[in-house]
Amino acid sequence: MLRLASPAPSTQASTVYDRLRDDLLSGRLEPGRKLQMRFLSDRYQIGQTPLREALNRLTADGLVEGREQRGFYVAAISRSELAELTKTRCWVESLALRESMAAATPQWEEQLLLAQHRLSRSPRSLNPEHFEDNPEWERLHRSYHGTLIGNCGSQSLIGFCGQLADQLYRYRRLSIRKAFPSRHVADEHQAILNAVLSKDAEVAVALLTTHYGRTAEVILQDEQIFPELKRLDEFA
């Protein structure tokens, strides 16, 4: 009987890495949860060798914590980490945006215009009455911010920015319903684009860092994510 060859371990590890990463970023695997090997093997229908390879990669990405003699855990969240990640992202993306603008070409500006146009035409929520996540908006949002810094000339810098974006995305997902009703992110995106096309790097960088700061502030004040805020209010 003809047998189909099993995928190579590296291919299996890449596949489960992508699936695990998606579950971690979306919050389906909640922060602080122990990632038991048997549970993961059953969930993703994969052996422990490629699974460990994927978990080690996710540890390097900052999405998983490997604890000596205790296994793997979903990376925890904290207000201090959120503040630090936001500050670092503002630093490195400010540099990347300045470099992108310094090396601006008509092609890059056209790509940025197209990325903003597509994002502006995609609704943030699939339901206008209550928040229902739109995966296409998330994809276009990532594309817009990636295009802003994508002309900087450093793949290492772009990669680091992407890693920070992933770590912050976990936080943003946790607080997205609270921010949706009052946040006018489309106006913020348009303002950043206008500054870039006007070749005003100072304004563009200031608007980008303010954009990220507003996101962080909403999350930092969310008592559902950080219950200690409620306890502090009670003793105030």
Side-chain angles (χ1 to χ4, degrees):
M1 180 173 63
L2 180 64
R3 294 181 179 272
L4 296 176
S6 299
S10 58
T11 303
Q12 290 182 331
S14 294
T15 299
V16 75
Y17 167 85
D18 290 336
R19 294 180 62 192
L20 261 168
R21 180 176 174 275
D22 185 58
D23 285 346
L24 290 164
L25 293 178
S26 68
R28 285 189 288 270
L29 293 173
E30 62 274 12
R33 174 175 182 159
K34 181 176 175 66
L35 296 171
Q36 297 175 317
M37 297 302 288
R38 179 175 295 180
F39 163 76
L40 296 177
S41 293
D42 292 342
R43 181 183 180 95
Y44 301 108
Q45 294 296 294
I46 198 166
Q48 292 197 6
T49 298
L51 187 55
R52 286 186 180 278
E53 184 179 334
L55 288 169
N56 284 326
R57 288 178 60 188
L58 290 162
T59 300
D61 291 344
L63 298 176
V64 169
E65 297 175 0
R67 303 179 187 176
E68 190 172 357
Q69 305 299 323
R70 296 179 62 190
F72 294 96
Y73 291 75
V74 179
I77 61 171
S78 69
R79 299 181 80 244
S80 60
E81 183 193 56
L82 172 57
E84 180 181 344
L85 287 171
T86 302
K87 180 170 65 175
T88 305
R89 188 183 190 188
C90 288
W91 285 343
V92 296
E93 289 207 16
S94 293
L95 172 60
L97 180 56
R98 288 182 188 277
E99 291 298 310
S100 287
M101 292 180 67
T105 63
Q107 292 77 16
W108 174 65
E109 292 181 350
E110 288 173 6
Q111 291 172 359
L112 191 52
L113 277 165
L114 182 59
Q116 162 63 8
H117 175 70
R118 288 173 172 168
L119 179 59
S120 67
R121 291 177 61 86
S122 180
R124 181 67 193 90
S125 171
L126 293 175
N127 189 316
E129 301 300 325
H130 62 270
F131 183 77
E132 185 178 340
D133 193 28
N134 181 2
E136 180 64 6
W137 186 93
E138 288 290 355
R139 185 186 70 80
L140 294 171
H141 182 242
R142 186 67 176 255
S143 176
Y144 167 80
H145 279 285
T147 305
L148 275 174
I149 64 171
N151 196 49
C152 69
S154 171
Q155 290 303 313
S156 296
L157 181 56
I158 292 171
F160 184 44
C161 289
Q163 185 175 334
L164 289 169
D166 281 346
Q167 293 179 24
L168 283 163
Y169 178 74
R170 287 201 314 144
Y171 285 90
R172 188 162 62 82
R173 292 291 300 171
L174 293 171
S175 192
I176 203 166
R177 285 173 173 79
K178 181 177 180 180
F180 171 69
S182 58
R183 187 82 181 275
H184 301 290
V185 292
D187 294 340
E188 296 174 28
H189 292 145
Q190 184 63 54
I192 295 168
L193 173 65
N194 292 342
V196 170
L197 296 179
S198 297
K199 304 188 186 306
D200 193 330
E202 295 303 321
V203 171
V205 166
L207 289 171
L208 182 66
T209 56
T210 299
H211 176 65
Y212 289 147
R214 285 175 178 165
T215 299
E217 190 60 30
V218 171
I219 304 169
L220 285 167
Q221 300 304 318
D222 194 329
E223 294 178 353
Q224 290 186 328
I225 302 175
F226 302 113
E228 64 268 26
L229 292 172
K230 188 174 183 179
R231 293 195 292 271
L232 288 173
D233 288 340
E234 291 173 350
F235 287 102

